[in-house]
Amino acid sequence: QVQLVESGGGLVQAGGSLTLSCTASGRSLNVYSMAWFRPAPGKEREFVAGTNWNGASTSYADSVKGRFTISRDYADNTVYLHLTSLKPEDTAVYYCAKSRLDASTSYRAIGDYDDWGQGTQVTVSS
């Protein structure tokens, strides 16, 4: 079992920036795709950003392209989400997730993930 712990959330004004961290313990993440999700109206989880097992590719929701960046540090077993140009509609609890070994190569579906962090709150004020 792997434990994922997110941190870095907080209150920021529109246009500001935050960096979220997801640190894993119990197992190395070096063979797993990783992603960030957030709740959305009418949805349990909405894909925000993801990166494949070796970090060679990334994927982003259309709503955050050009503003958010996902990265990973294999030595520290940590995944980051860098949020810039924040908008009030970005306000949400952000969850870090680890993929299954047989995850889709697109790694965007909730069903591809089997471990989740507790979430970190991001609040963007107008």
Side-chain angles (χ1 to χ4, degrees):
Q1 182 178 351
V2 62
Q3 291 78 46
L4 304 175
V5 179
E6 302 103 327
S7 63
L11 175 64
V12 64
Q13 290 187 329
S17 301
L18 286 172
T19 297
L20 309 183
S21 299
C22 172
T23 299
S25 61
R27 188 167 184 170
S28 173
L29 299 179
N30 65 354
V31 298
Y32 301 100
S33 295
M34 298 294 297
W36 292 87
F37 290 78
R38 66 188 183 189
K43 302 176 182 178
E44 182 178 352
R45 295 285 191 275
E46 175 186 59
F47 176 84
V48 176
T51 184
N52 75 331
W53 69 275
N54 64 3
S57 66
T58 58
S59 184
Y60 298 92
D62 289 342
S63 60
V64 306
K65 286 181 179 178
R67 300 189 298 117
F68 293 4
T69 302
I70 188 170
S71 64
R72 60 194 305 171
D73 186 325
Y74 291 94
D76 291 339
N77 218 26
T78 299
V79 181
Y80 300 95
L81 185 66
H82 307 276
L83 304 86
T84 64
S85 301
L86 283 162
K87 304 175 181 179
E89 53 263 43
D90 295 319
T91 295
V93 178
Y94 285 73
Y95 296 90
C96 176
K98 178 194 73 64
S99 77
R100 304 175 185 274
L101 286 173
D102 61 349
S104 168
T105 55
S106 65
Y107 54 90
R108 296 176 64 99
I110 292 175
D112 287 335
Y113 296 87
D114 63 355
D115 281 297
W116 298 80
Q118 83 290 345
T120 185
Q121 175 71 50
V122 172
T123 302
V124 184
S125 62
S126 301

